[in-house]
Structures are given as structure tokens and as C-alpha cells.
Amino acid sequence: MGGRLDGQVAIITGAGQGIGLAYAERFLDEGARVMVADVNEDRGNAAVEALGGRGEIAFVRTDISDPASADACVAATVERFGTLDVLINNAAIYHDIDHTDASLEYLQKITAVNQHGTWLMGRAAAPVMVAKGRGRIVNQASGAAYSYSGFPTMDFHGLGNYSYPITKWGIVGLTKFMAAQLGQYGITVNCIAPGITMTEATVKTVPEEFLSIMTSATALKSRLEPEDLAGAAVFFASDDARFCTGQTLVIDGGLAMPA
Ligand SMILES: NC(=O)c1ccc[n+]([C@@H]2O[C@H](COP(=O)([O-])OP(=O)(O)OC[C@H]3O[C@@H](n4cnc5c(N)ncnc54)[C@H](O)[C@@H]3O)[C@@H](O)[C@H]2O)c1
């Protein structure tokens, strides 16, 4: 039996570590060929080395917030693999996030990567998919987009930190506009909104006390691992999701339950 993504070519942004790396691993296991697009060269090369035995994988250094770099990423992918079927827009400022900076400059910086970068990569990828009459784009929001009121016992969701959630809420909206525009060309655009996921970045940026409070507030009462998200990315990239577009799937163990 073949994989669910046999022969598909996928760009996965931010696949140098964490959730993106888990997506890359699962996509290779499902038969996809993967381009790791990460701004961090060491992490990108390490991902290719770690996963090279599972299938065809390559790395192109990409800054998703730079229009020329986003375009070059797509061009390099087409040159290396001959086409492009799937774009996983996973990269964001997360592991080096500053929860305390409430300046306009910081909001602009985080928006440039998380939101504009998602838009730029979609803009770069769309022409290849339009020409094929088929494509899959999967954006990455966050459960943080749904935590408007925060948690009164902690200052973690204080004034300084809501720049990140609003970029992620913007991605939920962007997903709908992209889906509406690109559907006529056979391109679906969906979104995954993970709850707090146990990546290196989370361990670094989220206080353990907050993690415990969040975990006990979920229905499942357990912590989410990057591998728990990969099946949803495969589904959105596959033909099983042919008629599904503009949707955001919150995977957080039962916390936000927005729909
Ligand atoms: N870990 C969580 O708890 C969690 C929860 C909800 C949503 N998310 C989202 O999931 C995604 C991955 O999370 P993670 O924990 O693996 O994060 P991470 O910080 O470990 O990984 C992000 C990757 O993106 C890369 N990156 C950053 N800026 C970039 C840019 N300008 N261009 C290209 N690559 C860039 C980084 O080098 C890194 O490899 C992010 O979009 C994050 O916001 C994470």
C-alpha cells in the first residue's frame, strides 16, 4: 500500500525544528518529497541529515518575510523536484518570542514574519498550483488566537504579549480569503491551530506553571506533542480533503472548542 501523499512535492516552512520537523518526517513517511524552508541554515541542514534516510528531502534557506526569498524558495523547489503540490506555512517567530515587548516595532516585526510571511509564501506558491489546476496550502495559526481573555491567575497573557495571538488570528482570516480566491483553481487553503505543543521552543518560552494550568483546563488533561498534529496536515494535503477549504482545525486537547 502506498503513502497518502505519494509523489507529492511539499514545501514545509520552519521545518528545521519542532512542529515543522515533525510534519516533514510524517510527510516523507507518507511518500511526499519535502523542501525544508527555514531561515536557520544549521537547523535546515540538520533536518535534511536527520530525515534523509526516510525519503527525498532538501533544504533551501528562506526568510518568509522577504518577498524575494519567498519567491526563490518556490523556484528552488520547482527546480529540485520539478513541481509543487503542497505548501505548509508553519514558520513563525515563536522560539525567540518576547512576551514583554508591547512596542509598535515589535508588533511590526512579528507581523512581518507570522502574517506577511504566510501571505508571501502563498503568493509565491500559487502560480505554480494555478498552472496545475491543483494545490494544497495549510497555514499554521495557534490556539492563542482564541485566548482573548487570557487566564486571570497568570500575567502571561498580559498587554505585552498579545502581538503573537493577533498575528495568529490574522492567519485564521487570511486562510478564508486565500481559500475564497484560490478555490476556482482547484487549490484548497486550510489552517491548523495547535494548542500548546511540547516543542523545544515551548519549553523555553512558556513557564511550567502556565503549562500545568493550561493542561488541566483541557478536556484530555494531557500535553500535546508535535506528532499529534501531523495527521491533520496530511489530511489537509491529501485528496481526502478535496472539498474542505477555508477551515481552521483547532487541535488543543479540548480547550478553545470554537466551532
Ligand atoms: N509549539 C507550540 O506550542 C505552538 C502552539 C501553537 C502554534 N504554534 C505554531 O506552530 C509553528 C511551529 O511552532 P514550533 O514550536 O515548532 O516553533 P519553533 O520556534 O521551534 O520553530 C519555528 C521554525 O521557524 C523558523 N523560522 C522563524 N522565522 C522564520 C522566517 N522568517 N523564515 C523562515 N523560517 C523561520 C525557525 O528557524 C524555526 O526552525 C509556529 O507557527 C508556531 O507559532 C506552536
Side-chain angles (χ1 to χ4, degrees):
M1 209 176 124
R4 294 176 68 193
L5 302 176
D6 270 346
Q8 302 285 302
V9 173
I11 292 174
I12 305 180
T13 68
Q17 65 178 28
I19 296 170
L21 185 64
Y23 286 166
E25 182 173 340
R26 181 66 184 276
F27 270 52
L28 289 169
D29 290 350
E30 294 287 354
R33 293 173 283 162
V34 172
M35 181 60 90
V36 172
D38 203 294
V39 74
N40 187 307
E41 209 152 350
D42 290 343
R43 283 189 208 126
N45 286 321
V48 170
E49 199 170 322
L51 300 180
R54 303 180 99 98
E56 273 191 73
I57 181 168
F59 165 65
V60 58
R61 188 191 172 275
T62 307
D63 178 355
I64 61 165
S65 67
D66 173 0
S69 184
D71 290 346
C73 170
V74 171
T77 304
V78 172
E79 190 179 325
R80 173 73 167 76
F81 295 117
T83 190
L84 174 63
D85 302 287
V86 182
L87 167 64
I88 307 288
N89 260 325
N90 161 80
I93 292 183
Y94 181 65
H95 72 279
D96 49 3
I97 201 167
D98 183 348
H99 291 297
T100 63
D101 192 340
S103 69
L104 174 62
E105 289 71 24
Y106 190 69
L107 176 63
Q108 287 167 334
K109 178 181 164 185
I110 197 164
T111 301
V113 175
N114 297 10
Q115 226 174 304
H116 298 173
T118 300
W119 182 82
L120 284 168
M121 286 302 299
R123 188 181 71 164
V128 182
M129 297 176 176
V130 167
K132 296 181 75 155
R134 184 191 180 281
R136 298 281 184 270
I137 298 175
V138 184
N139 296 330
Q140 185 97 325
S142 169
Y146 300 92
S147 310
Y148 314 114
S149 52
F151 289 80
T153 51
M154 303 284 294
D155 194 30
F156 186 71
H157 276 265
L159 176 67
N161 121 312
Y162 73 68
S163 53
Y164 173 81
I166 62 174
T167 65
K168 292 300 186 176
W169 182 239
I171 289 170
V172 174
L174 175 63
T175 299
K176 298 175 200 232
F177 280 96
M178 289 170 80
Q181 293 294 316
L182 296 172
Q184 62 191 307
Y185 305 108
I187 301 167
T188 65
V189 188
N190 292 290
C191 182
I192 296 170
I196 294 183
T197 310
M198 296 311 295
T199 61
E200 222 180 285
T202 289
V203 172
K204 182 179 160 223
T205 60
V206 184
E208 174 55 36
E209 191 191 353
F210 186 78
L211 272 175
S212 297
I213 292 171
M214 293 293 278
T215 304
S216 62
T218 66
L220 294 177
K221 314 277 180 223
S222 58
R223 295 187 180 184
L224 186 63
E225 299 293 335
E227 296 72 26
D228 296 319
L229 304 166
V234 171
F235 168 68
F236 283 137
S238 75
D239 279 335
D240 286 340
R242 190 183 74 83
F243 227 69
C244 175
T245 196
Q247 302 302 306
T248 294
L249 180 61
V250 177
I251 303 177
D252 66 356
L255 181 66
M257 302 193 199

